[in-house]
Amino acid sequence: MSIIFEQENQVFHLQTKNTSYIMKVVSGKYLSHVYWGKKIHTPDMENAQLNRGIGFSAVTDKENPTYSLDFICQEYPTGCGTDFRIPAISVLFEDGSRNMQLLYKGYKITSGKPKLDGLPAAYVEKDSDADTLLITLEDSLQKVKVMLMYTAYRELDAITRSVRVVNEGNTQVILEKVMSTNVDFETAEYDFISLPGAWGRERHIERTPLRSGVQSVESRRGASSHQNNPFMALAEKGADETHGGVYGFNLVYSGNFTAGVETDQIFKARAYMGLNDYDFSWLLESGEAFQAPEAVMVYSAEGFGGMSRTFHDLYRRHLVRGKFRDEPRAILVNNWEGTYFDFNEEKILGIAKEAASLGIELFVLDDGWFGRRDSDTCSLGDWYVNKEKLPAGIAGLAEKINAFGMKFGLWFEPEMVSPDSDLYRAHPDWCIHVPGRTRTECRNQLVLDLSRQDVCDYIVEAVSNILDTANIEYVKWDMNRHMTELGSAGLPAGRQKEMPHRYMLGLYRVMEQIVSSHPNILFESCSGGGGRFDPGMLYYMPQTWTSDDTDAVERLFIQYGTSLAYPISTMGSHVSAVPNHQAGRVTSLKMRGDVAMSGNFGYELDLTKLSEEEKEIIRGQISGYKDLRTFIQSGDMYRLASPFEGNHTAWMFCSKDGRDIFAGYFQILCEVNPGIRRMKFTALDPDAVYEILGEGKRYRGDELMEIGLAVDCFGDFQSRTWRLRRI
Ligand code: DGJ
């Protein structure tokens, strides 16, 4: 068991391989937080837990005047009482009162990990992978129970948390806020790390010291978004890739979220993460329950690298599902940047034939194959093939592409509707809208109201109709706008603020139905690139299109930032044409290939326009990647130099058995007469001998790590890669 309850001291001790997470029930009723960090023995509570009265604090118990909830580290604070810091939960009772007092009621420890009702969550394959603790808190006056669920993974330094609220009273309760996790740290001596961005510039790393007040990241867009990611980390001062304590938090959710830290008056830090309370409320009738999403928490004493590798292992083994979890991903070509909407069957077959001759394994037909869609102004929702463009239909096209020896994949944007579509004309109330208000269009489209069951049923049927009538082995599931004018024709007035979360529950239901009934299709999610790159989507779809920005230099930043939480096997990464369509930059085919190979590799350009010399380079990249993917998609990633800190980026991927290594070094701008640059490898066996494949040279592991290999980079946008094998 990785979870212990010490009856005498009323202490809960959760243990993962290298970490401890400790709580204590104080005075038989308050659940307090004691410790999270490196694995320790259960401490002496007199020493480990400080209680103190502080000026202007309200005292909770007359019998214990030094005991102030405003001071102690709490596990799940309610606010609205004697703690003036940010609460984890807020409710409105039927009598108009908002005061909630959650006192400890009991606990249960079990092996394994239960599923979450209707929500994505990390899982276990066998009960011995993890243990779960369920702590019940209760507000006895209003008869509301709050169940805190913790799962400690035995072999990974990850703990997952979620919260369930149950209304056991006879009256209605309106839930206005419910965080999935709250951790009170005794000091605020940390830096706050987040992954903000924008379309085409997703998940850039920001690091700032904690300061008094609240620092937070959030999305109010109806999607986890390009602008912020449901990830944050707190790092000890000076922590870097290999040293220092780092606490990582990631929400398994794809909609509005909030994550932040409040630094209080005595420089303690309260970290929280959960559903955004902006435009959220949930009416709980008597007897009903609300399940909040899951938060994943990772502690690493070995800097950011250790944190990321734990997230990567957890997501690859315990979040991503289905047969593609463990299968090397196919090398694909996607026609979007090659043709945009301007294609017909002949053009598509031309690209596919060329792709097959280069060794590409999968052809993906992107936007523009359905309805009258020759531009982004119409037809979303009308999921029937455009026979003028594709006279043999999708089934016929798939057959012809299969005849080249390639798989066939197809693009959908199922959550959207164009005002100029048969679907919208038939069901104008099926989109998110407020009666009498403008229905704002973004990219000429509206969002379907997935809080409605009839809309969800339509999507499942329309998408399945296509998937079931052609040999489709890959789907790109896109989503290209955020929510505005929030409202649903399917909900009563008092429940309108439930719409954004009900939308996510509907989307999860739809994806579950489609994905589980098509186990042989590899699904890739996308939202104008990486606008919904989150663990919630990865539970249904094993990979995500990382960004619409395919420029190799931009991708160094995006992929480096993304790797803080998400594994390489989840990142779609393609070589596109130059000048790059998003950045206008011209980079070499070699650098474009080297960057894209540090992800799920593919091409996104018109291959028929390439010279023989370029095709030869591409053949080399493809055969190279077929060897690499067997371990880079499942191995360990080490970040060696950050693009956010200088002109050079370096990373390496190492198979779990340490035998196979692929490393890349990238220079953004030319440096004339530079100092000596070296690629210093890491995590090698110092005594072993490694051969650099293709160069025939051999070195000891210690030399590669301590002296490294000299790197000559001449010119802007240069890259160098090494494929090593331990002899
Ligand atoms: C946005 C995606 O990110 C692109 O890759 C492409 O699929 C377009 N949508 C198509 O409309």
Side-chain angles (χ1 to χ4, degrees):
M1 269 291 171
S2 54
I3 301 177
I4 305 154
F5 180 60
E6 271 196 11
Q7 183 71 37
E8 195 187 336
N9 287 316
Q10 298 278 292
V11 170
F12 292 101
H13 190 161
L14 283 66
Q15 296 183 328
T16 66
K17 199 170 175 196
N18 304 296
T19 72
S20 286
Y21 186 98
I22 302 173
M23 297 168 268
K24 177 175 167 63
V25 183
V26 177
S27 309
K29 49 188 174 185
Y30 306 117
L31 186 63
S32 67
H33 178 76
V34 177
Y35 173 82
W36 180 28
K38 268 190 192 167
K39 196 173 201 165
I40 55 171
H41 294 101
T42 306
D44 170 352
M45 285 302 146
E46 290 283 313
N47 173 54
Q49 248 219 335
L50 273 187
N51 297 334
R52 191 169 91 203
I54 41 176
F56 268 77
S57 270
V59 167
T60 313
D61 285 329
K62 277 196 177 152
E63 320 82 76
N64 185 1
T66 62
Y67 197 82
S68 159
L69 286 186
D70 206 24
F71 179 83
I72 65 160
C73 291
Q74 293 185 62
E75 203 45 40
Y76 202 68
T78 55
C80 212
T82 58
D83 177 2
F84 298 97
R85 293 169 289 170
I86 287 188
I89 185 167
S90 301
V91 290
L92 177 63
F93 296 112
E94 208 174 273
D95 61 9
S97 70
R98 288 152 1 265
N99 212 288
M100 194 185 204
Q101 195 180 28
L102 288 179
L103 299 183
Y104 175 76
K105 269 292 172 228
Y107 77 96
K108 196 170 149 197
I109 297 172
T110 48
S111 320
K113 183 176 194 284
K115 287 190 169 179
L116 289 195
D117 242 9
L119 284 167
Y123 60 87
V124 290
E125 280 185 299
K126 3 181 228 335
D127 279 355
S128 57
D129 288 343
D131 300 303
T132 295
L133 165 67
L134 194 70
I135 296 183
T136 304
L137 308 175
E138 189 187 37
D139 180 291
S140 57
L141 186 68
Q142 296 283 358
K143 306 225 169 352
V144 171
K145 282 202 172 126
V146 172
M147 336 280 253
L148 308 181
M149 187 160 93
Y150 302 78
T151 297
Y153 279 84
R154 292 188 190 175
E155 292 303 318
L156 289 169
D157 294 323
I159 291 173
T160 61
R161 277 183 70 170
S162 65
V163 174
R164 190 176 176 81
V165 183
V166 189
N167 178 10
E168 293 189 349
N170 296 323
T171 54
Q172 290 184 339
V173 174
I174 295 176
L175 200 51
E176 294 183 328
K177 170 179 186 171
V178 53
M179 287 299 99
S180 297
T181 184
N182 179 94
V183 181
D184 280 3
F185 292 87
E186 235 181 36
T187 85
E189 292 294 306
Y190 298 108
D191 290 339
F192 181 82
I193 289 94
S194 59
L195 295 174
W199 173 86
R201 181 171 41 79
E202 295 92 336
R203 291 170 298 285
H204 277 214
I205 300 175
E206 271 189 15
R207 179 173 184 163
T208 51
L210 286 184
R211 50 174 164 70
S212 295
V214 179
Q215 258 157 295
S216 66
V217 287
E218 51 186 286
S219 168
R220 293 177 294 277
R221 293 168 171 268
S224 50
S225 86
H226 310 80
Q227 288 72 13
N228 274 307
N229 193 265
F231 166 86
M232 71 172 174
L234 293 184
E236 282 172 10
K237 297 288 171 194
D240 59 20
E241 276 298 317
T242 48
H243 303 96
V246 180
Y247 299 88
F249 298 79
N250 205 189
L251 193 67
V252 189
Y253 191 62
S254 315
N256 294 339
F257 71 91
T258 183
V261 180
E262 179 179 17
T263 301
D264 72 11
Q265 55 180 334
I266 53 167
F267 311 107
K268 291 195 279 120
R270 168 166 292 172
Y272 57 87
M273 178 175 261
L275 290 174
N276 200 325
D277 54 351
Y278 166 84
D279 248 305
F280 168 81
S281 78
W282 200 272
L283 178 65
L284 280 179
E285 298 286 0
S286 167
E288 284 183 351
F290 179 84
Q291 177 62 57
E294 176 167 281
V296 177
M297 311 197 316
V298 168
Y299 174 75
S300 156
E302 285 157 11
F304 294 100
M307 175 198 73
S308 298
R309 284 186 290 281
T310 301
F311 274 120
H312 296 179
D313 283 342
L314 182 79
Y315 291 167
R316 283 185 304 211
R317 288 195 244 141
H318 299 286
L319 181 73
V320 166
R321 299 175 298 164
K323 75 171 195 175
F324 295 99
R325 185 187 77 164
D326 306 315
E327 268 187 23
R329 308 286 162 74
I331 299 173
L332 65 82
V333 60
N334 176 305
N335 70 305
W336 178 241
E337 285 197 22
T339 66
Y340 294 105
F341 293 103
D342 181 19
F343 63 82
N344 55 25
E345 191 186 82
E346 196 189 340
K347 203 169 187 178
I348 292 301
L349 290 176
I351 298 174
K353 195 169 175 198
E354 195 63 68
S357 78
L358 296 171
I360 293 176
E361 300 156 315
L362 163 68
F363 181 91
V364 180
L365 181 62
D366 211 281
D367 195 355
W369 58 267
F370 53 93
R372 293 175 293 101
R373 189 137 166 116
D374 293 323
S375 71
D376 62 16
T377 56
C378 70
S379 300
L380 290 172
D382 296 345
W383 299 109
Y384 43 82
V385 69
N386 179 337
K387 287 268 174 122
E388 272 168 39
K389 280 180 171 173
L390 304 171
I394 291 296
L397 179 65
E399 246 173 62
K400 292 179 192 179
I401 285 176
N402 291 160
F404 295 144
M406 290 170 81
K407 294 177 175 177
F408 175 75
L410 195 60
W411 178 98
F412 288 90
E413 194 175 356
E415 299 159 66
M416 297 290 150
V417 63
S418 308
D420 181 5
S421 67
D422 296 343
L423 182 69
Y424 188 74
R425 284 182 279 274
H427 299 286
D429 60 338
W430 272 17
C431 64
I432 291 174
H433 70 283
V434 177
R437 301 258 175 216
T438 306
R439 298 176 178 200
T440 304
E441 292 173 26
C442 302
R443 208 193 188 209
N444 310 301
Q445 62 198 57
L446 298 164
V447 185
L448 283 173
D449 179 2
L450 272 70
S451 70
R452 295 175 61 137
Q453 187 59 46
D454 48 1
V455 173
C456 292
D457 292 345
Y458 168 78
I459 294 175
V460 173
E461 194 189 324
V463 173
S464 302
N465 275 346
I466 301 281
L467 298 184
D468 295 340
T469 47
N471 188 23
I472 295 170
E473 295 179 78
Y474 165 105
V475 163
K476 177 174 173 187
W477 183 290
D478 206 349
M479 193 284 274
N480 282 303
R481 64 157 289 179
H482 292 143
M483 295 177 187
T484 56
E485 293 93 29
L486 302 186
S488 168
L491 292 171
R495 288 188 180 271
Q496 287 293 315
K497 279 172 107 181
E498 296 179 14
M499 192 281 293
H501 182 58
R502 283 190 183 276
Y503 178 99
M504 293 318 306
L505 295 178
L507 173 63
Y508 290 147
R509 256 192 334 266
V510 164
M511 291 195 294
E512 181 66 40
Q513 267 176 271
I514 295 180
V515 165
S516 61
S517 54
H518 299 93
N520 295 321
I521 296 180
L522 170 62
F523 286 83
E524 173 164 313
S525 78
C526 171
S527 173
R532 225 167 32 183
F533 205 133
D534 58 65
M537 294 305 289
L538 292 175
Y539 179 74
Y540 302 96
M541 306 194 170
Q543 57 188 60
T544 300
W545 179 223
T546 314
S547 177
D548 271 350
D549 192 338
T550 52
D551 172 65
V553 173
E554 293 291 305
R555 277 298 188 118
L556 290 176
F557 293 84
I558 295 169
Q559 292 174 202
Y560 191 99
T562 303
S563 76
L564 228 49
Y566 307 103
I568 288 302
S569 58
T570 63
M571 289 186 219
S573 188
H574 302 168
V575 173
S576 61
V578 288
N580 177 266
H581 294 193
Q582 297 78 34
R585 191 168 4 227
V586 177
T587 53
S588 66
L589 186 50
K590 168 162 170 51
M591 181 175 185
R592 281 176 275 154
D594 289 345
V595 174
M597 275 190 224
S598 311
N600 283 330
F601 190 49
Y603 291 83
E604 182 144 349
L605 72 176
D606 186 346
L607 297 166
T608 62
K609 293 188 176 143
L610 298 177
S611 66
E612 278 314 310
E613 193 192 340
E614 287 171 316
K615 284 185 206 164
E616 213 30 58
I617 296 176
I618 288 181
R619 272 192 201 96
Q621 290 174 338
I622 289 168
S623 64
Y625 189 73
K626 284 179 182 167
D627 157 54
L628 301 178
R629 68 178 164 189
T630 53
F631 67 91
I632 65 169
Q633 292 174 0
S634 57
D636 289 326
M637 180 186 190
Y638 296 88
R639 291 177 296 256
L640 303 172
S642 166
F644 297 100
E645 288 166 17
N647 195 25
H648 298 96
T649 302
W651 49 48
M652 67 174 259
F653 306 94
C654 185
S655 62
K656 286 282 179 192
D657 63 6
R659 179 176 171 263
D660 289 293
I661 288 124
F662 174 65
Y665 185 95
F666 308 90
Q667 169 169 293
I668 299 178
L669 291 179
C670 165
E671 291 171 347
V672 176
N673 240 337
I676 294 169
R677 300 266 175 215
R678 284 189 182 273
M679 171 74 176
K680 288 192 180 178
F681 292 79
T682 191
L684 304 182
D685 174 351
D687 300 320
V689 174
Y690 293 83
E691 178 164 330
I692 303 190
L693 302 187
E695 297 181 19
K697 292 191 181 150
R698 292 183 175 193
Y699 303 91
R700 288 264 181 204
D702 51 6
E703 179 178 344
L704 289 168
M705 292 192 287
E706 305 309 327
I707 296 180
L709 298 175
V711 195
D712 272 336
C713 282
F714 182 68
D716 296 340
F717 320 134
Q718 296 296 310
S719 64
R720 174 84 168 85
T721 59
W722 300 265
R723 169 76 172 89
L724 271 62
R725 176 166 296 149
R726 194 183 56 211
I727 303 300

